[in-house]
Every structure is written in C-alpha cells, then in structure tokens.
Amino acid sequence: AQRVTQPEKLLSVFKGAPVELKCNYSYSGSPELFWYVQYSRQRLQLLLRHISRESIKGFTADLNKGETSFHLKKPFAQEEDSAMYYCALNDDKLIFGTGTRLQVFP
Amino acid sequence: EAEVAQSPRYKITEKSQAVAFWCDPISGHATLYWYRQILGQGPELLVQFQDESVVDDSQLPKDRFSAERLKGVDSTLKIQPAELGDSAMYLCASSSQGAVRSYEQYFGPGTRLTVT
C-alpha cells in the first residue's frame, strides 16, 4: 500500500542550527512528493514539490529513490520556521504523513 | 487574495445528531476535496469532486457521511448520525486541476468538530 512515514513527531533545534525533517515513502511507481507546512493559526499550505527542484524559504528536499526518502532540509533554522510540516505523496490523491512539529528556539 | 472559505469554524454536537459543514472553494477551481484530520495525524481524503461529480469517495463512510456539490461550486459535507469517533478537524481544499501531476491544493481553515 502507498504510505508516507514521518518518524519524528517533534524536532527541536536552536536558531542557526541545521534542520532535517525526515520523510520516507512506499510507492510502486514513479513518486511525486510534496512538503506542506502549517504555521500557527494559519492554513495548511504547499511549501515545495520535488518536481520543481526549488528552494523555498531556504528549504530544499531531494528525492532519493534508492532510499525511498524525501527529507526536508535547511542549513540554518530561523524562529519563523517553527510549524507543522507534512510530507505528502501523490497517488491520484494526496497521502499525507503524520507530520513533524519543528520548534526553533532563539 | 482568494481563499477557500469554510463554515462553521467550530461545531460541538451530541452523538446521534446530524451535522453539516460548508465549503466555498477558490473561484474557478474545478476540483474540491474534503479531508478529515484526526488529532496527531495527517489529513486523510474523504471525497474528491471534479466539478459536480464525485471522483473518489473510497474513504468516505457512506453509511453516515454524505457530500454534495450540486452546481459544481460550493460543497456540503454531512454526518448523520454523528459518533464520538467523528471528532476531528474537517478540511476543505480546492485546486484548479484534477488528478494532474504537480497540482497545488489550497486549504481552508477547517471546521473543528467535537462530538459529545
């Protein structure tokens, strides 16, 4: 079955530290993956998609088919990055992981 | 900036009662989604509409849940009768494309349902 796994419920770092939010997937085919973010008291919104190979707010994510991973990375965390992050897989519908809460301390 | 609207934002109901949620997608968005998000989990798709037609309702508990989008614009999700396990956040989203790769979904603020 298609599945998205985010092993960490909570990730806490200090400002300026590197961040890596883990995402692993199970998919029989060529996957299409996304990262969605929900800031406090805001709506869930798209952060980035793997097909675009873009950097948004300093975040990047590389699809690793060998490891079936799509980890989200940022070299220097900012306090405003504190939010819930969801990895999602497109299987003609979005399948979301359980999310990771990122806390960035000053 | 256009946004997806949902109402009510909060709903408390007793079990066995009926409850309904409303969603107004971004104008021009043909595809509308209803998700349920249980606390501590990610959103799970309940039903997807393309215009007024249901594209996917495989995860919709059809014995108690129903959804409609009669004119292909706004949509209503109903639960009758509500059960304690239905307590969750109900999210609506819309997109300008259907099951096309790399589409972006725009989410509403959600309706938080508490069943007592």
Side-chain angles (χ1 to χ4, degrees), chain B residues 85-96:
Chain B
D86 296 332
S87 294
M89 177 74 83
Y90 290 83
L91 296 168
C92 179
S94 69
S95 71
S96 59

Side-chain angles (χ1 to χ4, degrees), chain A residues 8-12 21 38 83-85 99-103:
Chain A
E8 304 145 324
K9 285 191 178 297
L10 174 65
L11 182 63
S12 299
L21 299 166
Q38 188 167 24
M84 278 295 295
Y85 291 81
T100 297
R101 178 170 299 282
L102 174 63
Q103 289 183 332

Side-chain angles (χ1 to χ4, degrees), chain B residues 36-84:
Chain B
R36 176 172 58 186
Q37 185 174 20
I38 295 170
L39 191 63
Q41 298 184 22
E44 177 191 26
L45 182 70
L46 291 175
V47 61
Q48 176 182 341
F49 288 93
Q50 183 70 25
D51 298 308
E52 66 277 7
S53 300
V54 173
V55 173
D56 185 342
D57 63 357
S58 57
Q59 300 303 309
L60 188 71
K62 299 181 187 63
D63 56 336
R64 297 184 302 107
F65 286 64
S66 64
E68 60 183 16
R69 193 183 184 199
L70 293 176
K71 296 183 179 179
V73 181
D74 58 337
S75 175
T76 302
L77 178 69
K78 297 179 181 178
I79 308 175
Q80 182 173 17
E83 296 181 352
L84 295 177

Side-chain angles (χ1 to χ4, degrees), chain A residues 35-50:
Chain A
W35 277 98
Y36 276 77
V37 61
Q38 188 167 24
Y39 301 102
S40 179
R41 288 184 288 278
Q42 294 189 27
R43 299 157 187 239
L44 190 61
Q45 59 186 286
L46 179 67
L47 178 63
L48 56 78
R49 67 199 85 185
H50 92 269

